[in-house]
Amino acid sequence: MKKRIYIAGCGGMLGEAFYKQFNEEYDLKCSDKDVNEDWLSFLDFREREAYIKDVENFKPDYLFHIGAYTDLEFCEENKEDTYRTNTLSVENAVYIANKLNIPLLYISTAGIFDGKQDLYDDWDTPNPLGVYARSKYMGERFVCENANRFVICRAGWMMGAGPKKDKKFIQKLMKQLKEGKKELFIVNDKDGTPTYTHDFALTVKELIQKEYWGLYNCVCGGETSRLEVAKELVKILGKENEIKITSVSSDHFKDVYYAERPPSERLITRKLDLRGVNKMQDWKIALKTYIDRYYSGYVD
Ligand SMILES: NC(=O)c1ccc[n+]([C@@H]2O[C@H](COP(=O)([O-])OP(=O)(O)OC[C@H]3O[C@@H](n4cnc5c(N)ncnc54)[C@H](OP(=O)(O)O)[C@@H]3O)[C@@H](O)[C@H]2O)c1
């Protein structure tokens, strides 16, 4: 008998990898408020009673609560909705998991740190700067303090799902290249760690199968920055002689990306490494794997 997993908020970048990595070995029920695949059904996890009912009916062995609002500027503009979506819905998930006596997976973010340190391990103390980061950190704390059994994985700069669903840095650059831009303006004051969705899902699988409950930093290997990631992307595409990368400070984008972001959100995967369950590749390898798998023929 296959074990059953209910995955809430599964219609986004990360959900795509979770569906692909878990679908064969497990019986899945995947929901989202944006039903954009035939393997998704509708659930708005802010609706507590509907959430309880949908999960209870499926009788899962695990509850994965992975959806959230992920646009930092939207979160700044819509505080109440953000706390309802990113924090209170996590409280709903904890209630359900405890009621059914099953483990809960919650996804947190490297963005909960303030960037005063260069690197953060699993035990460093968060100090979220903006609404998105605070809403995610409060979800994390609620899970830690209240869930009977849980895995929390903190992701960094997510890359996954390709042009259809990737809303983040890599797709923003790829879109400009597809439009024929010959110059990319990239910030030179933001450090972090990419996180390939498939490696992330595989690491989660290891953790739940080994029952290593707890909180884990879960990002690709290596230390990097937005500027270095952009340079590597252009190199992977073989366009170093065609595309000019112009280094700018974050001020250059202050009207578009006005939510506060830490200067460093680099995570160290200390706990995954100590437990010997780290499936995260080095970020350069993961970036190449991602581009080869999802962007073949996307730009000329
Ligand atoms: N993207 C990153 O760089 C990043 C980094 C660190 C951590 N994370 C965390 O990783 C998780 C997955 O993020 P992602 O990158 O896959 O984001 P995503 O692509 O934006 O997907 C999130 C999904 O959740 C859905 N959702 C939002 N509110 C919902 C609700 N009330 N009920 C049901 N579904 C809802 C979204 O639907 P709509 O599109 O309709 O809102 C979307 O389909 C999130 O918890 C996020 O905070 C992301």
Side-chain angles (χ1 to χ4, degrees), residues 8-15 31-34 36 43-46 65-70 85-86 89 106-111 132 136 154-159 165 167-168:
C10 197
M13 291 168 67
L14 188 61
S31 65
D32 200 284
K33 73 174 170 47
D34 176 11
N36 54 49
L43 178 87
D44 181 337
F45 51 54
R46 290 168 298 192
H65 183 95
I66 69 171
Y69 284 147
T70 55
T85 302
N86 289 4
S89 68
Y106 170 65
I107 315 298
S108 189
T109 170
Y132 169 74
K136 295 294 298 180
R154 292 181 182 142
W157 295 336
M158 201 82 86
M159 40 190 206
K165 292 190 180 181
K167 307 172 182 78
K168 294 293 174 174

Side-chain angles (χ1 to χ4, degrees), residues 177 184 230-240 243 245:
L177 297 178
L184 298 175
K231 286 181 182 163
E232 186 65 20
L233 176 66
V234 169
K235 189 173 153 197
I236 288 168
L237 296 169
K239 291 186 177 295
E240 289 152 297
I243 305 296
I245 291 190

Side-chain angles (χ1 to χ4, degrees), residues 224-291:
T224 190
S225 63
R226 290 288 191 204
L227 192 58
E228 199 189 4
V229 172
K231 286 181 182 163
E232 186 65 20
L233 176 66
V234 169
K235 189 173 153 197
I236 288 168
L237 296 169
K239 291 186 177 295
E240 289 152 297
N241 299 328
E242 259 175 74
I243 305 296
K244 183 178 173 209
I245 291 190
T246 301
S247 152
V248 294
S249 82
S250 291
D251 262 10
H252 182 87
F253 292 107
K254 66 179 185 309
D255 294 337
V256 196
Y257 298 123
Y258 50 84
E260 195 174 357
R261 289 159 169 85
S264 173
E265 45 186 299
R266 285 176 173 166
L267 299 186
I268 308 171
T269 52
R270 195 184 298 283
K271 280 182 65 185
L272 289 179
D273 296 335
L274 289 172
R275 287 215 185 271
V277 289
N278 191 355
K279 300 280 172 196
M280 308 298 297
Q281 303 175 89
D282 182 86
W283 74 266
K284 285 187 184 172
I285 297 167
L287 177 58
K288 182 160 183 352
T289 309
Y290 177 43
I291 297 302

Side-chain angles (χ1 to χ4, degrees), residues 43-65:
L43 178 87
D44 181 337
F45 51 54
R46 290 168 298 192
E47 304 300 331
R48 183 179 152 106
E49 294 311 316
Y51 194 5
I52 295 170
K53 199 170 154 205
D54 211 35
V55 180
E56 275 188 346
N57 285 345
F58 187 62
K59 298 186 177 51
D61 298 289
Y62 305 91
L63 174 58
F64 288 5
H65 183 95

Side-chain angles (χ1 to χ4, degrees), residues 50 77 114 195:
E77 300 293 333
D114 59 17
T195 299

